[in-house]
Amino acid sequence: MFELLAQGFMNVLTFEIIGLLILGVMIGIAIGSLPGLTATMGVALILPITFKMESLTGILMLLGVYAGAMYGGSISAILLKTPGTPAAAATIFDGFAMSQRGEAGRALGISAISSFGGGLISVIMLILISPQLAKVALRFSAPEFFGLAVFGLSIIASISGKSMIKGLLAGVFGLLLSTIGIDLVTGFPRFTFGNMNLFNGLAFIPVMIGLFAMSQAFTSIEHILTKKQVVQKVGSVLPSKADMKQILPSILRGGIIGTLIGIIPGAGGEIGAFVSYNEAKRWSKHPEKFGTGIVEGIAAPEAGNNGVTGGAMIPLLTLGIPGDAVTAILLGALMIQGLQPGPLLFTEHAGLVYTIFVGFLLANIFMLVLGLFGARYFAKVISIPAHILTPVIFVLCIVGSYAINNNFFDVMVMFGFGALGYVMEKTEFPVSPIVLALILGPMAERELRKALMMSNGSISILFTRPISLILIGVALITLFMPIIKGVKDYILLKKEQTND
Amino acid sequence: MKRANLIIAGLLAMLGAYVLYLSNKLPDFANQNTTGPAFFPVLLVILLFGLLVLLVGTTLKNETNRPVGLLTGEATKSFITMGIILVYLLVFNILGFLVSTVLFLFIVISYLSPKRNYMKSALIAVLATSMIYVVFRIVLLVPIPSGMFIG
């Protein structure tokens, strides 16, 4: 393993990769700090830029955006009481309280350090866990892969929306969309209406840009601010030794919680941050002080949401199942570059995988440096008015979706899904199950039909093999488990309290 | 939300029926040891109908008539913007990227600005367009559709 990591270091240490990694982190922090622009949107918008790059360089730049955006969200949470990304919502409680006391710099410094700590822990766990998981997954066959796809879909459908039924409906709708194109088993075209552009299926990058970036921009039009917001002055950001000592346990706990939550498909930075915040409060000797602007209250959610980043990469790289919406886009990015994530990636492209690990580690280091020394400049980005930013995002969505295949059809698909995503958000249908279903649909179908061929059409094959039985069983339990809904309601309640 | 849910349920039911109709026309592989192309879509439609029954049931039982927010003034702004984008996409191939994007940005920025300042909007439109053009076309070599006049 160390040999591979050392090799990875050598691969990353080129002028081009380091430069683009730093650029990616900078763009990520800027996007994250802008309210209304989420980490998912940032990665979706930057993705087309990376098409022409070497596969490794492109992926690493996107990882930089991902890590940067997770931290960047805290900047506007602390300075404006508006989370830059949903994942930073929990940072408001103590972050804004501290900055109101005139300690905005201190809050930003703690956020940068904690984000780094959480990210670092998650990368270490990523390096330790994923090769082992990949080894297990190497023994998987058709029934197991089908179980995996069902498992991933059922979890994302049940936690990504307010209503589980609506989440599942979005998932089934996405699965139906995934059947468009040539049937992989019989070679027969389905639902293509004779349109050449649909023979290979609905291209999912335009769908993603539409659902994650364009629909988000439509939503942000509604919230265009009419009054100028006051941005707090940022003083020194380097945290003191006393602060460091105070936040260390929260960072460690938050990083581990975040990583574990990141591994669960569909649970992203938002949930990681909230759970980490609540755990820090529960373990604290002075829980009553949370919300008054204490250091742990910033450290815990920020370590939690950056912890999610590495965690979400674990199922992505080892099983080909994204852990959250951002990694769903990364999956698309890898596939465009001709790399199929899954257990085979670790045997066939071990060098690449370890280089990604090292690059992700570096992304976190750059995030720390930029966060500590550039916070006051990023604080200025927040003042770009939304009525200028949003139209530019529309243009970027269009240019980006055109760039994939130089095909105007893709642009229309992107626009259609942008409008659909907007209506879905209004009617409380979550959009991420569609994307995940579109990605996992072909896998679910292919493996199910393969499994049925293996068993001469008997469905019992899915339930007589231990791993597939467990996966499908867990999926079924998830669907009937209202506890997750309880957690979700609790989070929503907390969120409403912050909006008051 | 009650009415919205029921309308969506109706639309999805129609989609399901349409998929069934199309699947019916796909070839059948029943005689061979394999499932046909219609196997998975039909399975999904069955799932879809099951979920729709649940959606309609829970909606009728629990859902109130709280507004969805698709018919508010703010939402109208989003829909008008959508319309402008559609026109932009239609003239894109005729006018080319540069001209149509400058026009598009000028119109949308002016439309969304709390305070109209046409000079400022025009300036930002030109600047933003040139930046996007330089980054995509020149730095990243991403092709951008050229129009009949200038790229």
Side-chain angles (χ1 to χ4, degrees):
Chain A
M1 186 175 90
F2 289 105
E3 221 170 278
L4 283 164
L5 281 175
Q7 188 60 47
F9 256 110
M10 300 306 287
N11 291 345
V12 169
L13 289 180
T14 71
F15 189 70
E16 191 194 357
I17 292 185
I18 297 287
L20 284 168
L21 198 52
I22 294 177
L23 184 67
V25 175
M26 280 168 77
I27 294 174
I29 299 179
I31 287 176
S33 68
L34 285 158
L37 306 198
T38 62
T40 319
M41 188 196 221
V43 177
L45 282 178
I46 300 302
L47 172 63
I49 296 182
T50 64
F51 288 152
K52 296 273 150 132
M53 299 177 187
E54 294 266 325
S55 49
L56 180 70
T57 321
I59 297 294
L60 288 181
M61 185 174 179
L62 292 174
L63 285 177
V65 176
Y66 185 21
M70 277 291 184
Y71 156 69
S74 72
I75 298 178
S76 45
I78 289 168
L79 298 177
L80 292 181
K81 205 188 175 187
T82 313
T85 64
T91 312
I92 291 178
F93 307 126
D94 286 275
F96 186 67
M98 187 181 279
S99 96
Q100 266 190 318
R101 285 205 308 257
E103 295 179 292
R106 183 180 172 209
L108 286 173
I110 287 166
S111 164
I113 284 270
S114 315
S115 297
F116 167 71
L120 186 70
I121 291 168
S122 80
V123 176
I124 293 171
M125 286 174 73
L126 169 70
I127 295 173
L128 294 177
I129 296 175
S130 45
Q132 311 309 324
L133 198 58
K135 255 183 227 159
V136 177
L138 265 181
R139 293 203 298 263
F140 283 12
S141 156
E144 285 79 23
F145 277 115
F146 174 69
L148 215 50
V150 173
F151 170 76
L153 279 170
S154 68
I155 291 190
I156 197 170
S158 49
I159 54 183
S160 56
K162 278 187 188 167
S163 140
M164 195 153 107
I165 298 173
K166 288 187 173 179
L168 289 170
L169 274 169
V172 172
F173 178 67
L175 284 174
L176 276 171
L177 291 176
S178 82
T179 61
I180 294 174
I182 290 176
D183 172 24
L184 293 169
V185 179
T186 60
F188 206 85
R190 290 185 298 198
F191 319 129
T192 56
F193 309 100
N195 187 332
M196 278 299 287
N197 293 305
L198 289 174
F199 272 54
N200 283 324
L202 207 54
F204 48 72
I205 303 286
V207 175
M208 283 176 186
I209 297 177
L211 286 178
F212 289 139
M214 184 155 253
S215 72
Q216 195 67 43
F218 285 132
T219 310
S220 67
I221 286 182
E222 294 183 8
H223 307 294
I224 282 180
L225 301 163
T226 41
K227 60 171 194 286
K228 200 109 180 127
Q229 295 206 351
V230 187
V231 177
Q232 314 273 338
K233 254 202 136 45
V234 178
S236 163
V237 295
L238 285 174
S240 66
K241 252 193 200 136
D243 278 351
M244 287 295 294
K245 220 178 122 190
Q246 186 80 11
I247 58 177
L248 193 65
S250 301
I251 294 179
L252 291 175
R253 200 183 308 112
I256 293 171
I257 291 173
T259 311
L260 295 178
I261 286 177
I263 296 175
I264 304 171
E270 195 180 356
I271 298 176
F274 270 102
V275 174
S276 168
Y277 184 84
N278 287 326
E279 286 305 304
K281 195 170 171 179
R282 215 161 58 90
W283 284 65
S284 170
K285 287 190 200 107
H286 43 77
E288 72 286 350
K289 283 193 188 160
F290 275 77
T292 61
I294 57 168
V295 286
E296 298 101 303
I298 301 170
E302 281 306 309
N305 65 28
N306 274 82
V308 165
T309 58
M313 296 286 292
I314 294 175
L316 169 73
L317 291 174
T318 55
L319 306 171
I321 292 187
D324 68 355
V326 178
T327 39
I329 305 174
L330 291 176
L331 178 65
L334 284 163
M335 284 163 81
I336 283 217
Q337 304 276 12
L339 298 161
Q340 176 65 50
L344 285 176
L345 196 67
F346 281 76
T347 43
E348 287 168 6
H349 300 280
L352 178 91
V353 172
Y354 280 84
T355 312
I356 290 178
F357 291 164
V358 173
F360 205 16
L361 193 71
L362 286 181
N364 277 288
I365 295 171
F366 295 142
M367 179 192 75
L368 174 69
V369 175
L370 288 166
L372 286 181
F373 298 103
R376 67 187 67 202
Y377 305 106
F378 287 112
K380 294 228 161 41
V381 175
I382 309 176
S383 39
I384 298 179
H387 65 264
I388 293 174
L389 202 63
T390 313
V392 173
I393 288 171
F394 287 131
V395 177
L396 288 177
C397 290
I398 291 164
V399 175
S401 48
Y402 180 82
I404 311 160
N405 294 321
N406 311 328
N407 185 341
F408 215 73
F409 181 78
D410 286 344
V411 178
M412 295 316 271
V413 168
M414 186 281 299
F415 177 72
F417 277 90
L420 178 73
Y422 174 69
V423 174
M424 283 178 72
E425 166 158 352
K426 287 282 173 185
T427 49
E428 293 171 4
F429 277 86
V431 295
S432 21
I434 295 190
V435 172
L436 201 68
L438 206 54
I439 294 173
L440 294 181
M443 168 167 147
E445 175 176 16
R446 188 180 60 233
E447 304 301 335
L448 172 63
R449 290 166 69 184
K450 245 197 247 169
L452 289 176
M453 265 189 254
M454 279 162 64
S455 68
N456 286 320
S458 163
I459 194 135
S460 66
I461 187 168
L462 299 175
F463 305 101
T464 48
R465 297 168 61 112
I467 294 175
S468 99
L469 175 68
I470 290 171
L471 287 168
I472 295 176
V474 172
L476 290 176
I477 292 168
T478 313
L479 298 182
F480 293 105
M481 193 164 61
I483 296 167
I484 292 177
K485 196 181 167 300
V487 173
K488 187 103 194 172
D489 287 349
Y490 180 68
I491 291 169
L492 288 173
L493 190 78
K494 276 271 164 197
K495 240 168 109 181
E496 267 161 34
Q497 284 170 357
T498 39
N499 290 341
D500 284 344
Chain B
M1 195 54 76
K2 197 171 194 168
R3 209 165 44 162
N5 278 0
L6 295 178
I7 293 173
I8 292 169
L11 289 173
L12 284 173
M14 269 154 53
L15 174 78
Y18 187 54
V19 172
L20 277 187
Y21 165 76
L22 289 177
S23 302
N24 213 15
K25 292 201 289 189
L26 290 169
D28 190 5
F29 285 74
N31 303 326
Q32 297 158 40
N33 177 24
T34 180
T35 43
F39 169 74
F40 198 60
V42 171
L43 196 70
L44 291 175
V45 172
I46 295 169
L47 256 174
L48 179 75
F49 282 137
L51 286 168
L52 286 178
V53 171
L54 285 177
L55 178 69
V56 171
T58 51
T59 300
L60 292 178
K61 193 162 157 266
N62 303 327
E63 197 57 78
T64 52
N65 282 322
R66 69 202 155 93
V68 174
L70 274 173
L71 303 171
T72 59
E74 280 80 30
T76 318
K77 262 204 273 182
S78 299
F79 286 122
I80 289 177
T81 313
M82 263 180 222
I84 301 175
I85 294 175
L86 203 59
V87 175
Y88 168 50
L89 291 178
L90 294 176
V91 300
F92 204 90
N93 279 324
I94 306 165
L95 294 177
F97 173 78
L98 290 176
V99 178
S100 57
T101 305
V102 169
L103 281 175
F104 168 74
L105 284 178
F106 172 71
I107 292 168
V108 178
I109 292 174
S110 309
Y111 172 60
L112 295 177
S113 298
K115 273 186 258 160
R116 299 270 153 95
N117 181 341
Y118 293 113
M119 269 313 286
K120 201 176 148 197
S121 305
L123 196 69
I124 294 168
V126 172
L127 270 175
T129 307
S130 349
M131 266 170 70
I132 295 170
Y133 187 79
V134 168
V135 169
F136 275 87
R137 185 80 197 86
I138 300 172
V139 179
L140 296 162
L141 302 173
V142 171
I144 284 177
S146 47
M148 278 158 45
F149 307 113
I150 28 174

